[in-house]
Amino acid sequence: MTNSIEEILNTDAMFVIGSNTTENHPIIGSTMKQAIKNGAKLIVADPRKIELADYADVFLQLKPGTNIALLNGMMNVILEKGLQNKEYIEERCENFEELKEIIKEYTPERVAEICGVNTEDIIKAACIYAEADKAGIYYTMGITQHTTGTAGVMSVSNLALLCGNVGKESSGVNPLRGQNNVQGACDMGGLPADLPGYQKVFKPEVIEKFEKAWNAKLSSKVGMTIPEIFNGAHDGSIKFLYIMGENPMVSDPDINHVKKSLENVDFLVVQDIFMTETSAFADVILPAASFAEKDGTFSNTERRIQRVRKAINPVGDSKPDWQILMELMNFLGYKKTYSNPSEIMDEIASVTPSYGGIDYERIENVGIQWPCLDKNHPGTKYLHKTAIARGRGLFMPAEYTESAEIPDKNYPYVFTTGRILYHYHTRTMTGRVDGINQIAPSSYVEINETTANRLGIENGDRVKLTSRRGQIETTAKITEIIDDDVLFMPFHFADGAANYLTNSAADPIAKIAELKVAAVKIEKVN
Amino acid sequence: MNIIINGTTYEVEKNTTILQACKNAGIDIPTLCHDERLKPTSACRLCLVEVEGTKNLVTSCSTMVKENMVVHTHNEKVMKTRRDVLNLAISNHPLECLSCDKSGDCKLQDYCYEYGILNGTYKGAMRTPKIDSSNPFYDYDARKCILCGLCVRVCDELQCSNAIGFEDRGFEANVSTPFNEGLINSKCVSCGNCVSVCPVGALTPKGQKFRHWETSKVRTTCSYCGVGCQMDLVVKGKKIVDVEPAMDAINNGLLCVKGKFAYKFINHPDRLKTPLIKRNGKFEEATWDEAYRYITKKATEIKENYGPNSFAGLTSARCTNEENYLFQKLFRAVIGTNNIDHCARL
């Protein structure tokens, strides 16, 4: 998030697109509803009539995969009506002419056709967003999990820049991160091109700095992303795979492909707190301690680095992941020891500029938001305050293009996936909580009543879903919240796993798979 | 402005309640229905104080200070009234402290102790015995409910789910769901924020069996979504037995169903407790030393034969910053490849 969670309370307008906030970020969802009580306006764009839609001034039930068209359409209205922030664009942005050139083709009438929404609603949404003094955009995987994911994010950024909503309180571009420390895992260099603090591996000065700090020879060759890693395992170029706290046999697209890849790899190490669908393929399983059994920090979606504290000893012979990794490094000949995670954080701070001022003493009571450059730096509530970090805000206009796989005669429905309130990712944790399983016991597919009637499917019937990649059985849940040509499934469940159907076609830049759009057929199981 | 509390003059800000002014002055006023995050409703009447020049005692939670106001917080008139209020409350409350989960953490119990209330002296009709145990995570026992309204208000004003409200009047009054259809059939999302604010044992988590004085609390960050709610793990011996939301944090005393109730995986019997090595297609228990040596042997062989770029690692969005840092350092500095990624795209 460019901005902070508490700033939501003082916003004038919220634009929630591709985020089922009340289910997936419940406390932010509640904060949004409090903001509405304070008078904030709300625009919601989602293929499903999610809870927040009930609170919205405008709800746009768009077809999956049409975000860019909608965002362009809103910008078209804003430019037509002259509602853009001209001073901000002049002083702080660049490439405005190219934006205008592309946007002019996206009339609300044309966009309404593409997205399957009303022209008037696009105009209304654009006006609410542009006329608000402070307007924030909040999005999640509904924007990113497309073959055009990067362009989708750029389009969100274009809209925010157009109205001067970057670099000011209670506004901004706010991706809500899905997992407890996905922000931190990125910050710490858990990415193939990035050392800690997004310092690029292909920059010689970066490599030189880390070689000195770590006293080791480093590669400047950009590594592989997850889809490339599985492809590598599949074709035999990846021989050794180490998976820590991940369960790709449920979470990743095209599970049949993942399965073949895991079977094919020479040596697989899995480190986790439970046996999982993935660890079944392992050569060695290392038992890790849970979050309640170790010290450390998580970085949340608003960039706040907060303490995790040990409450009980690790169960059995399990060990905190940091200790396992340190001991393994020592076995592999790298002699560096840490007696406590605070020593690791001190090392992180010494090589990571945005974490430069972080230490455990400073975050003992309240976490600090990065960038925190030195010990006297208070942290950063919202980004781009005095100027856009790169210098000027760059408009990156994008054309709308169709999803990689669109419905046809054989696979007539758009299949989209997501999360539900009661489960977390692949249920490794929540699947072991009785009350959770009582409320959300098993896999299901949401289907519109009209479609269900046409196919002779009743609520609770077993149905078979088929895509070009796989087939599953699940239970039909008839609902009015979804359009008649769209099917939705939560991806949490290993039995009837949605990801047997999903498409691994990926965005060319971010390499994110198109988990939000696949073409499927559905039949009743007799 | 200046006000006089118990004979001492204090300087206070405008738009301050008497309760807040007393708190700032270090004077403890008992409350059952007050929560700084919520609009005051003056429901419990326990925070009554005497303001000179007014006919009746006033509720300090909802009365604003005025210039030169003279307040008495603990004189005999106030103390007697508070004892009456507590007496009324406890007269209509089952004295089941021996079996009540809330014992030791119950504000009604604490105040009765402080004000010397041994039992209720108002005999006669009692609350309607109604229990809603339809939710899998918590129960509502109307007999123990003191109608402070905190649960209803937190559900309305902060959680904004509006799942519960008051039903009926007098001895019949209780907290209920629309048409009394039970929590499980309501809009309740099982966040448990009502349970967290209940000052008595009316709303209690299911299946808990511990005494509050046997536990300790450890402040940590929730391990579910990316909001980063702060919470206290309640520890008894080797187990986590409850979770409470932190007030002074971004989550402002709120949690969701996962943060509040989905902690039992921690001490689940399925937890992996020892390293396992697959031999002849079956996992066998191993020591850490064996596991490390086996991985080292394989890693060395593969690196010699195929080079560092035949290695890849998936680090974890569930693990700490420190662990993610070490994971990528292991791959980059020790193995020599940048083939590291994680589930940021999932």
Side-chain angles (χ1 to χ4, degrees), chain A residues 277-353:
Chain A
E277 290 75 15
T278 301
S279 69
F281 295 89
D283 294 285
V284 179
I285 299 175
L286 302 176
S290 79
F291 85 111
E293 297 148 32
K294 62 189 180 186
D295 285 302
T297 56
F298 293 152
S299 297
N300 78 351
T301 188
E302 56 167 9
R303 301 166 278 104
R304 191 181 297 278
I305 302 145
Q306 305 189 109
R307 276 300 312 277
V308 173
R309 288 187 182 83
K310 180 179 168 179
I312 53 172
N313 284 326
V315 301
D317 282 338
S318 71
K319 293 184 182 192
D321 297 88
W322 67 267
Q323 198 179 332
I324 300 171
L325 294 166
M326 178 187 80
E327 288 171 0
L328 188 57
M329 281 162 99
N330 294 161
F331 265 89
L332 287 164
Y334 188 84
K335 301 295 175 198
K336 170 81 185 171
T337 55
Y338 310 90
S339 60
N340 184 290
S342 71
E343 293 175 12
I344 308 173
M345 180 51 82
D346 292 341
E347 184 177 317
I348 293 167
S350 72
V351 294
T352 314

Side-chain angles (χ1 to χ4, degrees), chain B residues 251-263:
Chain B
N251 47 308
N252 194 26
L254 302 179
L255 288 174
C256 76
V257 57
K258 296 192 288 295
K260 174 72 182 169
F261 293 120
Y263 60 86

Side-chain angles (χ1 to χ4, degrees), chain A residues 37 179-180 189-191 221 226 239 242 252 280 285 293 300-301 306-307 317 327 347 360 421 510, chain B residues 156 221 224 226 228 258 271 273 276 278 288 292 310 314 317-318 322 325 329 332 338 341 345-346:
Chain A
K37 289 187 183 210
Q179 297 163 55
N180 57 328
L191 296 168
K221 182 177 176 248
I226 288 181
K239 306 282 182 192
Y242 193 143
D252 284 39
I285 299 175
E293 297 148 32
N300 78 351
T301 188
Q306 305 189 109
R307 276 300 312 277
D317 282 338
E327 288 171 0
E347 184 177 317
Y360 278 19
L421 170 66
Chain B
D156 168 20
T221 304
Y224 286 113
K258 296 192 288 295
R271 281 284 304 275
K273 296 185 185 72
L276 300 170
K278 195 181 267 173
W288 279 101
Y292 287 142
S310 62
L314 307 193
R318 258 74 78 189
E322 293 76 2
Y325 176 83
K329 187 175 176 183
R332 291 189 158 116
N338 287 313
D341 201 0
R345 298 171 190 82
L346 300 173

